[in-house]
Amino acid sequence: MAKRRGLALDGVLLLDKPVGLSSNHALQRARRSMDAAKAGHTGTLDPFATGLLVCCMGRATKISGAMLDADKAYRATLQFGEETDSGDLTGHVVARAAEGYSVTEDALREVLARFQGVIEQVPPMYSALKRDGKPLYEYARQGIELERPPRQVTIHRIDLLSLSGTRAEIDVACSKGTYIRTLAQDIGRALGCYAHLAALRRTHVGPFSLDRAVTLEALQAMTDPKQALLALNELPAGLLPAKQTLKDPL
């Protein structure tokens, strides 16, 4: 019996990815809910992270290139006092602050100001960047650390939302290629107390906002999940290469 491919749906699903799922697993669950034949996402979130995952169905996959290059925004929770090998809460602690350390609001605001604008970041070993055809995270899992040249990224805005004891919450608007895990680590080092990312939530990707996103649970509970799709004519101007591409075959 021939395998059924699903429906030829065209549109964009703004998905609020839950914690614990890879971006691809979240995408595939959404695709199955809508019975879509063709789907892809436009920028990976780590399994521990939540928030906006832009899922493109059918001919909407033509916006993928523009979305990968788009600016993004995040809400991040920093845990001070410990640095991990992955830069986030899933890693092993590799450095700890001296006993009795503290982080004041004035000191934190001063350090955050240093990271606004064009900065250089060393990509983390736990990343999908490749060396000799193999992702860096595969080397990291073998205990191998490779030299990585710094890369320029832009932090358009970084706002302190709260500071409570050893945790702070910040909003970050940044260019493509920015690693928030690395930003957390660098902020901790600048403060002299180490830090790692305790939580991460993506709030914006280019013109798309988490405000219009649907959770996987809500999508799966819908009588007609296809209603959650943004149609091609609802997409912000300039995302699709040209109007005639809408007529192109899949």
Side-chain angles (χ1 to χ4, degrees):
M1 182 182 293
K3 185 177 180 182
R4 187 167 178 268
R5 290 188 65 237
L7 302 175
L9 301 179
D10 298 319
V12 170
L13 173 70
L14 301 181
L15 185 67
D16 185 348
K17 188 190 86 68
V19 68
L21 284 184
S22 72
S23 295
N24 187 57
H25 284 160
L27 168 70
Q28 295 308 323
R29 289 191 186 183
R31 183 188 65 79
R32 287 194 295 270
S33 294
M34 291 185 290
D35 194 25
K38 181 181 181 182
H41 66 72
T42 64
T44 300
L45 279 172
D46 290 327
F48 79 89
T50 66
L52 186 58
L53 189 67
V54 180
C55 302
C56 301
M57 311 292 169
R59 285 175 285 187
T61 55
K62 293 179 183 292
I63 75 168
S64 295
M67 289 296 93
L68 288 172
D69 289 339
D71 289 343
K72 299 175 177 66
Y74 300 87
R75 181 157 295 184
T77 302
L78 311 184
Q79 174 65 56
F80 299 115
E82 294 179 337
E83 183 174 305
T84 67
D85 54 3
S86 64
D88 59 54
L89 74 166
T90 68
H92 301 289
V93 175
V94 294
R96 284 190 171 90
E99 194 172 336
Y101 81 95
S102 66
V103 176
T104 66
E105 183 174 330
D106 286 345
L108 180 54
R109 288 188 183 279
E110 190 276 325
V111 165
L112 293 180
R114 295 187 217 165
F115 287 92
Q116 292 196 104
V118 178
I119 64 171
E120 287 195 337
Q121 281 192 335
V122 176
M125 278 299 300
Y126 282 90
S127 69
L129 294 176
K130 292 188 176 180
R131 181 75 59 84
D132 297 328
K134 191 162 73 170
L136 290 181
Y137 63 76
E138 290 192 12
Y139 293 101
R141 287 170 181 168
Q142 298 170 34
I144 300 170
E145 179 157 356
L146 302 175
E147 187 174 346
R148 290 97 63 206
R151 306 189 331 176
Q152 278 196 345
V153 297
T154 302
I155 305 296
H156 302 296
R157 174 179 53 80
I158 182 167
D159 296 325
L160 176 62
L161 302 180
S162 66
L163 172 63
S164 178
T166 62
R167 282 201 172 196
E169 192 171 50
I170 60 174
D171 264 348
V172 181
C174 56
S175 66
K176 70 169 185 175
T178 303
Y179 287 95
I180 307 300
R181 287 178 288 142
T182 300
L183 180 64
Q185 179 178 280
D186 289 344
I187 289 169
R189 291 179 179 179
L191 286 165
C193 66
Y194 303 111
H196 65 268
L197 199 58
L200 183 67
R201 185 160 177 77
R202 187 157 64 193
T203 57
H204 290 81
V205 177
F208 298 114
S209 167
L210 186 60
D211 294 340
R212 296 194 63 184
V214 61
T215 66
L216 195 56
E217 184 179 6
L219 183 73
Q220 293 169 332
M222 288 179 181
T223 304
D224 184 10
K226 297 188 293 296
Q227 295 299 314
L229 276 180
L230 294 175
L232 297 180
N233 60 9
E234 294 181 79
L235 300 183
L239 285 186
L240 287 164
K243 285 190 176 181
Q244 62 263 33
T245 60
L246 301 185
K247 301 177 182 178
D248 290 347
L250 290 175

